[in-house]
Amino acid sequence: AARMAAPTRQERTACWGARDEFWQCLDRRGEGAAECEELRRAFEARCPQQWVKHFDKRRDFLKYKKKVETEGYIPPETAAKS
């Protein structure tokens, strides 16, 4: 795999901007909304691949954290029964 050069400040800013727009769309429309697909592609195009993976994980983590804060922690075994 070709080693990617570190993104310039401009590239980082473009990446973060694309990520924020994409995430805002998901927050408004819901995960996996078709309207956000274009923003998802822009996000992937503007960010290094490993950043995309990292941000996806980060978003999942933040959503999980928020859920725990609002609903409380639900152990997996109780969740399975309900």
Side-chain angles (χ1 to χ4, degrees), residues 62-77:
L62 292 171
K63 280 197 327 237
Y64 173 75
K65 195 168 161 266
K66 195 173 175 181
K67 190 176 151 86
V68 168
E69 283 165 4
T70 50
E71 300 170 21
Y73 174 71
I74 301 153
E77 59 276 7

Side-chain angles (χ1 to χ4, degrees):
R3 168 116 175 78
M4 261 203 62
T8 64
R9 214 165 84 106
Q10 251 176 326
E11 287 167 338
R12 283 199 306 270
T13 306
C15 169
W16 293 333
R19 175 203 62 190
D20 292 347
E21 278 180 46
F22 173 55
W23 283 13
Q24 280 162 10
C25 181
L26 292 180
D27 289 341
R28 282 195 309 270
R29 306 264 186 252
E31 298 301 315
E35 301 96 315
C36 304
E37 274 310 299
E38 211 171 296
L39 293 170
R40 170 79 198 180
R41 283 194 291 275
F43 165 54
E44 287 178 353
R46 293 197 184 116
C47 300
Q49 189 56 52
Q50 65 267 34
W51 288 26
V52 171
K53 285 197 183 105
H54 166 77
F55 287 139
D56 285 347
K57 284 201 188 92
R58 175 119 185 97
R59 182 169 171 85
D60 286 342
F61 170 73
L62 292 171
K63 280 197 327 237
Y64 173 75
K65 195 168 161 266
K66 195 173 175 181
K67 190 176 151 86
V68 168
E69 283 165 4
T70 50
E71 300 170 21
Y73 174 71
I74 301 153
E77 59 276 7
T78 26
K81 286 194 199 93
S82 61

